[in-house]
Amino acid sequence: MKKTLIIFFILSLFSFSNVFGEKMNVKNGVKLPKDVARGYENPWELFCTWTEDGKCMTPKYALQIVNKKDNHPVRLGKKSIRMELRKGDCHQKRKGSYNDCKATPPAERHELTNRNDILGKKWHTYSIYLPKDNPKVISEWITMGQFHSLNGSYPPVNLDLEQDQFLLVTRFLCIHPKKIGKSCLSNNPENRRIKILDSDQLFGKWNDFIFSANWTNNEKKGYFKFWLNGELIYHFKGRTIGPEKDDAAIHQLGIYRGAAKNSGDANHVVYYDEIKTATSCKKINLKKLSYSCNDLENQKLETVHVIE
């Protein structure tokens, strides 16, 4: 009996190591079900490491479509997506090309990117859930969602985890090249870092993010608004993409962080659901999330952010 238990234990370890090391080819992207995402072009791109024989490989745990029946958290419907980032997870596009592990500073990531460029007036939503057992990761930054620009190095909008808090970080100054120097830090007075969630509001529960924007390089017509759980938190007026004619916004979800400095495990897990985009509030159908378009659109802030 004792010998049988030892054999079973060894086989279990072998099986676990195989699962841990399993990878998937995501060269053709990842299709998200309609239960989870609507309005965006499908499939989405998932960051990967390209092999010499042309395969785009990433660990299977990086992204999983999970079910409510298996006790996974789901905002609405039956499914959500689960993303996980482990210490040492970094990617290289091609041999000799940009490598997250060798970047300055080094980085780790598993991120989804929508394939369609975003221009003009759009509404976006997604809901996010962070499990209570997420570790405290020592890292220079931890981003769990962003609106990037095609041509810029600095994303205009980040949603960042900082210690036990969640922040809205905007760098709209960075798409005004005539008004900045060689670098554009988020703590520049013309940019914004706004705490939106404390730990008691963040972990172990769903939070709904709603965005309305006119993605344009026209400084007079551009705007960006952000509602958290139905409450208007931030309003910007001005250019929302770079001045180049071919620039546009792109939407990214997942975990992107500076290389973890923890001595032990540094496994981040995040769930996303209700990932939607449309050209108007009514078309995005917020009633299912128990929000009213009239209520959202009538909310005002005393201070509107503009780049002087």
Side-chain angles (χ1 to χ4, degrees):
M1 178 67 179
K2 188 174 181 180
K3 187 175 181 180
T4 302
L5 287 173
I6 293 172
I7 293 172
F8 176 77
F9 177 70
I10 293 172
L11 288 174
S12 297
L13 285 177
F14 178 75
S15 175
F16 178 78
S17 65
N18 280 346
V19 172
F20 186 91
E22 282 184 350
K23 293 189 176 182
M24 56 183 175
N25 190 334
V26 293
K27 184 177 180 179
N28 295 323
V30 176
K31 287 188 176 181
L32 300 183
K34 290 182 179 180
D35 192 315
V36 174
R38 287 178 178 269
Y40 288 101
E41 187 175 324
N42 222 358
W44 291 56
E45 292 179 352
L46 183 63
F47 269 77
C48 65
T49 296
W50 286 87
T51 63
E52 292 186 358
D53 57 351
K55 294 179 181 178
C56 180
M57 305 299 291
T58 199
K60 283 192 173 181
Y61 60 76
L63 186 144
Q64 297 172 310
I65 297 169
V66 295
N67 290 275
K68 188 176 183 178
K69 66 180 182 180
D70 297 322
N71 296 319
H72 286 282
V74 171
R75 180 63 177 91
L76 290 177
K78 298 178 180 179
K79 298 177 181 179
S80 63
I81 60 170
R82 178 188 187 274
M83 299 188 72
E84 181 175 346
L85 182 67
R86 298 179 182 178
K87 192 174 181 179
D89 285 351
C90 52
H91 302 289
Q92 184 172 16
K93 294 178 180 179
R94 297 285 182 183
K95 188 176 181 180
S97 70
Y98 175 85
N99 187 330
D100 280 327
C101 286
K102 297 179 180 179
T104 306
E108 300 163 335
R109 77 170 95 204
H110 290 309
E111 281 188 299
L112 277 171
T113 303
N114 71 285
R115 292 190 170 196
N116 57 310
D117 300 346
I118 306 171
L119 288 168
K121 294 180 180 180
K122 299 286 186 181
W123 283 73
H124 310 270
T125 69
Y126 65 89
S127 300
I128 187 170
Y129 180 100
L130 293 177
K132 290 183 177 180
D133 57 357
N134 258 324
K136 289 185 178 180
V137 176
I138 304 170
S139 175
E140 291 191 37
W141 76 90
I142 304 168
T143 294
M144 292 189 170
Q146 56 184 325
F147 289 98
H148 218 299
S149 56
L150 285 178
N151 298 327
S153 300
Y154 305 97
V157 180
N158 275 15
L159 280 302
D160 286 0
L161 178 65
E162 191 172 279
Q163 300 299 324
D164 288 337
Q165 302 175 344
F166 219 62
L167 281 76
L168 171 71
V169 179
T170 67
R171 294 188 182 90
F172 287 112
L173 173 66
C174 305
I175 52 177
H176 291 73
K178 294 181 179 180
K179 298 181 180 180
I180 60 173
K182 293 182 179 180
S183 64
C184 186
L185 302 177
S186 63
N187 59 5
N188 186 295
E190 291 283 357
N191 288 320
R192 294 292 183 269
R193 295 178 60 84
I194 305 169
K195 183 180 75 173
I196 60 173
L197 289 166
D198 284 317
S199 59
D200 60 335
Q201 303 165 303
L202 178 59
F203 295 97
K205 60 180 65 176
W206 283 101
N207 285 285
D208 302 324
F209 295 166
I210 302 171
F211 311 90
S212 173
N214 187 11
W215 299 106
T216 175
N217 55 23
N218 188 314
E219 294 187 31
K220 295 182 178 180
K221 295 182 179 180
Y223 61 83
F224 178 88
K225 292 183 177 183
F226 168 61
W227 291 263
L228 169 66
N229 298 325
E231 180 184 353
L232 183 61
I233 299 293
Y234 173 78
H235 184 184
F236 169 79
K237 286 185 178 181
R239 176 188 293 160
T240 50
I241 58 175
E244 301 86 357
K245 291 183 179 180
D246 62 342
D247 203 15
I250 54 174
H251 194 186
Q252 293 181 305
L253 293 172
I255 310 167
Y256 171 46
R257 71 188 184 195
K261 299 176 183 178
N262 297 45
S263 57
D265 290 338
N267 298 355
H268 265 139
V269 173
V270 60
Y271 289 83
Y272 297 97
D273 200 357
E274 296 303 299
I275 306 165
K276 296 180 180 181
T277 188
T279 55
S280 70
C281 183
K282 290 183 178 179
K283 289 182 179 179
I284 212 165
N285 195 6
L286 292 173
K287 289 182 179 179
K288 290 186 177 181
L289 289 170
S290 301
Y291 302 119
S292 160
C293 286
N294 286 336
D295 176 56
L296 295 177
E297 293 177 310
N298 286 330
Q299 292 182 36
K300 308 291 182 184
L301 291 178
E302 289 185 7
T303 303
V304 176
H305 179 200
V306 294
I307 302 297
E308 299 295 340

